[in-house]
Amino acid sequence: MAGIELVKDKGTKEPYAWEEKMGWQVAYSARDNGVIIRPLGNVVVIMPPLNICLDDLRRLLDVIRDAIIMVTR
C-alpha cells in the first residue's frame, strides 16, 4: 500500500483546499482510464495486489501520473 499526497506547491508543501477534493478528482480521472484508487482527502491510496506483474504495475502508475497531471494543471 502506498499514498500520494497532492500539494499545490512541492517546495512549501501547501495543501489544496479541502473543498477542491483533489484526491477525488484524480480518482475519477484514473477510473475513466480503468484504474481504481482510493481518495482520502488530498491523498490517493494505491493498493495493488502483491502478485501484480511489472507491465500492469507500470500501467497503473502511468494512469495515476497522467490523472494527477491532468487534474492539477
Side-chain angles (χ1 to χ4, degrees):
M1 181 177 3
I4 301 171
E5 184 176 8
L6 306 167
V7 294
K8 277 187 183 181
D9 185 318
K10 289 182 187 179
T12 64
K13 300 195 190 259
E14 177 188 356
Y16 285 101
W18 180 259
E19 296 79 22
E20 292 183 75
K21 298 185 178 186
M22 293 306 285
W24 283 99
Q25 291 184 49
V26 170
Y28 290 142
S29 179
R31 189 176 302 164
D32 289 341
N33 290 293
V35 171
I36 298 174
I37 53 177
R38 181 178 182 197
L40 293 173
N42 288 330
V43 176
V44 291
V45 178
I46 306 165
M47 298 186 326
L50 294 176
N51 64 342
I52 191 169
C53 69
L54 286 178
D55 288 338
D56 289 342
L57 183 59
R58 283 187 193 102
R59 182 180 185 299
L60 170 78
L61 296 175
D62 286 344
V63 168
I64 293 170
R65 181 199 60 222
D66 293 345
I68 291 170
I69 291 170
M70 181 187 312
V71 168
T72 59
R73 283 195 177 179

